[in-house]
Amino acid sequence: MEECGALLATERYGSGESWQYVVKDGALERRRDGREAESRGNSFVGVFKSVFLPQGYPDSVSGDYLQYQFWDTVQAFSSSLSGTLATQASLRGVGVGNQEATVAAATVTWLLRDGTSMLGRIVFAWLKGNKLDSEAKKWRLFADILNDIAMFVEILAPFFPAWFTLIVCTSGIFKSVVGVAGGATRAALTVHQARRDNMADISAKDGSQETLVNLAGLLVSLILIPLVTDNPGLTISLFFLFTALHLFANYKAVRSVVMETLNEARLAIVLRHFLRDGYVPTPLETNREEPVFLEFRKTLPIKLGVRLQEVVQSPEQFRLALMRKDAPFLIGITNGCVQVCLSAHAHTRDEIRAMCQAIWLSDRLSPSGRHQDFWEMVHKSYILIDTEFDRFHKGVEAAGWDVTRTLLDWDEWRLEWKPKIR
């Protein structure tokens, strides 16, 4: 006969729950943490987690998931309230409540706004789509700032009836950019957060969280609308209050993200610390330093994966660029940019190495200079990278960076050259 209370087995649900199976009075009993049963409060928490958090949380997501989602929820709630104020202003602008307004005029205005939004979405995706992976934080924050500008423009539009259509079309273009940048960068962040190839689950639960927040915003909006109707001063005051909260929450959200993959900004920070201080900062330390606002470059821009003709313009320049015939890339400078041409046989390690060399050159060359000694600088950069890169790469791996892939903004041109140039 089994001994009463004998432990038969234990089981865990990730790191969130631990249960024991024991024999009691001849029957199999399941206990949680040594207690007889769950409380109602714990049961409610469990249901809430299963509805709004990914399966296996917190083990199935990145360590920054909860902090990011908290601030993302705050920004979504404040944006929902700001959107209500903007929508009310737009409806008033197209003639809702005005007996002299016609349905046809309102319809034309709405169609023009939608049409310009569609064009804006296509053009922005064409011009900047390739930047949204490598600079997800910057474009995420940019999208939210632009969204606030678009809503403010909509609130002001009714005060300028002669320009109303032009203003709402402009706002529509802004919102189309917001839609592309916000959606694409959210997808990039989901890839970062997913630790068990569970991107679909994370996206679905993010949608549930957003729906809950919008529902809460809707309930608060029902209280706000009677207060702000025919009260422009209160409308604008509340809008600025919600906008300030929205921008602060967005800044905190992108600051909380800790990417372990290297893009240009993070690699530049890591390389500069290594060359200056002799150590490689961790992803957490580097992400704290990474800029999250779009900025004007103070160093020479870098273009990766370009055509050969953008690197060299003569056979002599080609020989100079190929001063290291075993290097899987060529570096040149034209049109005020450091240009990198990548070999067709290059690997991720080679991409990181080429980018390190390009960053070193960019930091030491003035954007407005003529750079007659550029090839001498390239030669120095090869010597430096040959000496330090192996130690640097090992330090990057040891610090916790993912070196199996990168978020460097490479174009698709690849080059093959003969091993010996006559």
Side-chain angles (χ1 to χ4, degrees):
M1 179 180 291
E2 293 286 352
E3 182 181 351
C4 182
L7 177 65
L8 294 182
T10 60
E11 66 181 1
R12 301 184 63 86
Y13 186 84
S15 61
E17 298 182 26
S18 179
W19 296 82
Q20 296 179 345
Y21 288 88
V22 299
V23 177
K24 184 176 182 181
D25 299 330
L28 187 64
E29 184 174 302
R30 185 173 185 252
R31 296 178 180 177
R32 182 177 181 180
D33 295 329
R35 292 173 291 183
E36 293 291 333
E38 279 189 277
S39 66
R40 289 178 60 87
N42 283 340
S43 179
F44 173 78
V45 171
V47 172
F48 183 87
K49 286 183 177 180
S50 66
V51 172
F52 294 104
L53 294 176
Q55 180 178 328
Y57 171 87
D59 306 282
S60 61
V61 295
S62 60
D64 55 17
Y65 177 84
L66 186 61
Q67 186 176 4
Y68 174 84
Q69 292 302 126
F70 170 78
W71 288 113
D72 189 53
T73 299
V74 173
Q75 71 86 17
F77 179 73
S78 55
S79 180
S80 176
L81 298 181
S82 299
T84 298
L85 300 177
T87 299
Q88 185 197 39
S90 295
L91 293 175
R92 187 168 65 249
V94 297
V96 174
N98 184 355
Q99 296 180 352
E100 296 180 359
T102 65
V103 175
T107 302
V108 168
T109 299
W110 227 252
L111 290 175
L112 287 174
R113 190 193 71 162
D114 289 346
T116 53
S117 296
M118 294 173 189
L119 292 175
R121 190 176 298 116
I122 293 171
V123 171
F124 178 75
W126 168 50
L127 294 175
K128 296 297 182 181
N130 62 322
K131 298 288 185 182
L132 301 179
D133 280 304
S134 59
E135 299 181 340
K137 292 184 187 181
K138 291 182 179 181
W139 286 105
R140 176 74 178 179
L141 190 56
F142 171 82
D144 287 303
I145 293 173
L146 191 61
N147 188 50
D148 289 332
I149 295 174
M151 289 190 290
F152 182 61
V153 168
E154 288 182 349
I155 288 177
L156 294 180
F159 298 102
F160 303 93
W163 300 91
F164 180 82
T165 300
L166 178 61
I167 292 174
V168 296
C169 287
T170 302
S171 172
I173 293 174
F174 289 171
K175 287 191 172 182
S176 70
V177 172
V178 171
V180 175
T185 54
R186 184 68 191 98
L189 293 175
T190 301
V191 172
H192 157 70
Q193 292 172 337
R195 299 299 166 158
R196 294 181 180 170
D197 294 326
N198 55 339
M199 291 180 290
D201 185 29
I202 290 177
S203 296
K205 297 302 170 55
D206 183 65
S208 297
Q209 295 169 22
E210 188 173 350
T211 301
L212 181 64
V213 170
N214 289 336
L215 180 60
L218 175 63
L219 296 176
V220 175
S221 296
L222 293 175
I223 301 173
L224 284 180
I225 291 300
L227 299 177
V228 300
T229 301
D230 300 323
N231 192 337
L234 181 59
T235 298
I236 293 177
S237 298
L238 287 175
F239 175 80
F240 279 118
L241 174 64
F242 297 145
T243 298
L245 178 61
H246 179 242
L247 294 178
F248 174 75
N250 269 294
Y251 176 79
K252 295 291 287 185
V254 296
R255 271 294 179 208
S256 69
V257 176
V258 180
M259 294 277 199
E260 296 93 359
T261 46
L262 293 165
N263 65 356
E264 181 180 338
R266 292 189 286 272
L267 181 56
I269 293 169
V270 170
L271 180 65
R272 288 162 189 158
H273 274 291
F274 176 78
L275 295 177
R276 184 183 66 220
D277 307 319
Y279 88 102
V280 175
T282 64
L284 178 60
E285 294 170 328
T286 305
N287 278 265
R288 286 174 177 170
E289 292 186 39
E290 182 185 6
V292 294
F293 293 100
L294 296 175
E295 55 190 352
F296 295 103
R297 295 189 64 109
K298 298 179 181 179
T299 58
L300 218 60
I302 299 171
K303 291 185 178 181
L304 307 171
V306 301
R307 293 170 295 182
L308 178 63
Q309 67 183 40
E310 296 180 58
V311 177
V312 299
Q313 283 76 45
S314 68
E316 179 60 29
Q317 287 187 354
F318 185 70
R319 293 188 185 92
L320 290 172
L322 205 62
M323 60 181 65
R324 279 289 311 277
K325 297 179 177 60
D326 59 336
F329 54 86
L330 304 178
I331 294 183
I333 179 168
T334 54
N335 302 321
C337 295
V338 177
Q339 313 265 20
V340 183
C341 187
L342 195 64
S343 165
H345 308 291
H347 301 290
T348 303
R349 177 187 170 95
D350 302 321
E351 294 178 3
I352 296 174
R353 177 172 178 160
M355 191 64 186
C356 287
Q357 199 162 329
I359 290 171
W360 187 86
L361 288 168
S362 175
D363 286 346
R364 284 155 182 78
L365 296 172
S366 168
S368 58
R370 297 180 63 87
H371 313 301
Q372 293 93 338
D373 60 345
F374 173 74
W375 296 112
E376 181 181 347
M377 294 288 290
V378 170
H379 180 64
K380 291 180 180 179
S381 71
Y382 273 114
I383 295 175
L384 175 69
I385 297 302
D386 285 345
T387 304
E388 301 290 346
F389 184 75
D390 285 342
R391 187 163 65 93
F392 171 74
H393 194 266
K394 291 178 181 177
V396 168
E397 286 187 283
W401 291 97
D402 180 4
V403 295
T404 61
R405 63 189 183 94
T406 69
L407 290 174
L408 300 174
D409 188 21
W410 288 94
D411 205 344
E412 297 303 312
W413 294 102
R414 297 295 182 268
L415 181 68
E416 293 190 35
W417 57 83
K418 296 180 180 180
K420 185 176 181 180
I421 305 298
R422 295 180 180 178

